[in-house]
Amino acid sequence: VTGVQTCALPISEDGNAPVITAKGNMVRVQNADGKTLEVFDITGRKIASLRIDSPDRSFNLKLRRGLYLLRVDDVSRKTMVN
């Protein structure tokens, strides 16, 4: 079974921080219009850089099994693909 698990807690109290959530190979980014989603593997190598073109955007990353870091500006989330 392939799946991605991550936490989706915004880190600013004003609610304007980007929010990153993931399920399966789908990653959803909210509050990040005009920013970039960066995906890094466990070694720190950047494997994707995706422009976010709307306030609520989803991406199908098609990642292999492993641990990844998803980052938009100062917001980072670790995620595991099984």
Side-chain angles (χ1 to χ4, degrees):
V1 176
T2 300
V4 176
Q5 301 170 355
T6 190
C7 180
L9 301 174
I11 58 172
S12 74
E13 293 181 10
D14 64 8
N16 291 326
V19 177
I20 304 168
T21 54
K23 183 173 183 180
N25 273 317
M26 295 301 296
V27 174
R28 181 179 179 192
V29 182
Q30 298 169 285
N31 301 331
D33 191 14
K35 299 181 189 268
T36 301
L37 170 66
E38 296 175 303
V39 182
F40 299 88
D41 67 13
I42 190 67
T43 66
R45 182 176 56 105
K46 187 187 294 188
I47 58 171
S49 183
L50 305 162
R51 187 80 175 151
I52 303 164
D53 58 5
S54 68
D56 189 346
R57 180 75 161 90
S58 294
F59 298 95
N60 185 350
L61 298 181
K62 299 180 183 175
L63 299 171
R64 291 181 167 189
R65 194 172 154 183
L67 183 63
Y68 296 90
L69 177 71
L70 308 173
R71 181 173 71 188
V72 176
D73 283 347
D74 293 340
V75 177
S76 298
R77 298 288 175 254
K78 288 186 272 186
T79 188
M80 175 67 110
V81 176
N82 308 359

